[in-house]
């Protein structure tokens, strides 16, 4: 498991550096997805599968899809179709595909290899422990964060609605 932790951490660092240094937003989003999946793999290797699954579902799934939609919506116009064709050429997928294949190979190795005596995460944290922790001593913080997110959503709705009326 120690190998899996360091391997996934290395892929996360490489992918994050590619996000920062890439000038094309679609390429940066592809590398950001790989980076978030690699962070989820580090959670799995540390014995926190619930945090890893939440990382994949919440960040790599929902938020990245939202980012892709925003990037695609911002590139409206007649030239955007040609721009997207240039962005989505097959050679663009080489880097993210290689990093994804390395993460898949690591996952298969961890699942099917013989267990070694050296593991980083000695205990597995399940969903019940996370729920007790969140809704126990941190209940007030969780509820304040939910109210803040609700206020942000209502504000964004009203700002968008007012701009639509003015046009």
């Amino acid at each position: 498991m120690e190998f899996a932790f360091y391997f996934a951490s290395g892929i996360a660092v490489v992918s994050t550096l590619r996000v920062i240094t890439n000038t094309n937003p679609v390429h940066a989003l592809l590398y950001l997805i790989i980076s978030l999946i690699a962070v989820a793999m580090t959670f799995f290797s540390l014995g926190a599968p619930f945090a890893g699954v939440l990382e994949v579902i919440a960040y790599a799934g929902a938020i990245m899809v939202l980012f892709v939609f925003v990037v695609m919506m911002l590139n409206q116009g007649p030239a955007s179709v040609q721009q997207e064709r240039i962005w989505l050429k097959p050679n663009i997928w080489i880097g993210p595909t290689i990093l994804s294949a390395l993460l898949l190979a690591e996952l298969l190795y961890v699942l099917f290899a013989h267990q070694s005596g050296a593991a980083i995460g000695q205990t597995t944290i399940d969903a019940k422990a996370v729920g007790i922790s969140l809704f126990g001593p941190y209940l007030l913080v969780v509820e304040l964060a939910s109210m803040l997110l609700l206020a942000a959503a209502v504000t964004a709705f009203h700002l968008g609605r007012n701009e639509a009326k003015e046009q």
Side-chain angles (χ1 to χ4, degrees), residues 26-104:
V26 174
H27 299 176
L29 285 175
L30 288 173
Y31 281 109
L32 186 57
I33 291 170
I34 299 300
S35 175
L36 292 171
I37 291 172
V39 170
M41 287 295 295
T42 60
F43 283 135
F44 283 122
S45 67
L46 289 173
F50 186 71
V53 168
L54 285 180
E55 178 85 20
V56 169
I57 292 171
Y59 291 114
I63 293 176
M64 287 299 105
V65 168
L66 180 67
F67 281 175
V68 169
F69 283 145
V70 167
V71 167
M72 295 303 169
M73 285 175 34
L74 291 177
N75 292 319
Q76 294 176 349
S80 69
V81 173
Q82 184 63 25
Q83 176 95 20
E84 288 176 13
R85 285 189 184 133
I86 293 170
W87 283 351
L88 297 177
K89 287 184 179 177
N91 62 353
I92 290 172
W93 295 87
I94 292 172
T97 302
I98 290 171
L99 294 175
S100 297
L102 289 172
L103 284 175
L104 179 64

Side-chain angles (χ1 to χ4, degrees), residues 82-162:
Q82 184 63 25
Q83 176 95 20
E84 288 176 13
R85 285 189 184 133
I86 293 170
W87 283 351
L88 297 177
K89 287 184 179 177
N91 62 353
I92 290 172
W93 295 87
I94 292 172
T97 302
I98 290 171
L99 294 175
S100 297
L102 289 172
L103 284 175
L104 179 64
E106 174 195 5
L107 178 64
L108 294 175
Y109 173 77
V110 168
L111 289 177
F112 298 116
H114 298 293
Q115 291 290 339
S116 66
I120 291 178
Q122 298 298 328
T123 60
T124 300
I125 302 167
D126 59 348
K128 182 178 179 181
V130 173
I132 289 171
S133 178
L134 282 179
F135 295 111
Y138 300 111
L139 178 65
L140 183 61
V141 175
V142 169
E143 291 301 321
L144 286 174
S146 69
M147 293 302 290
L148 181 65
L149 289 172
L150 177 64
V154 169
T155 303
F157 172 75
H158 282 292
L159 287 175
R161 198 175 110 208
N162 288 338

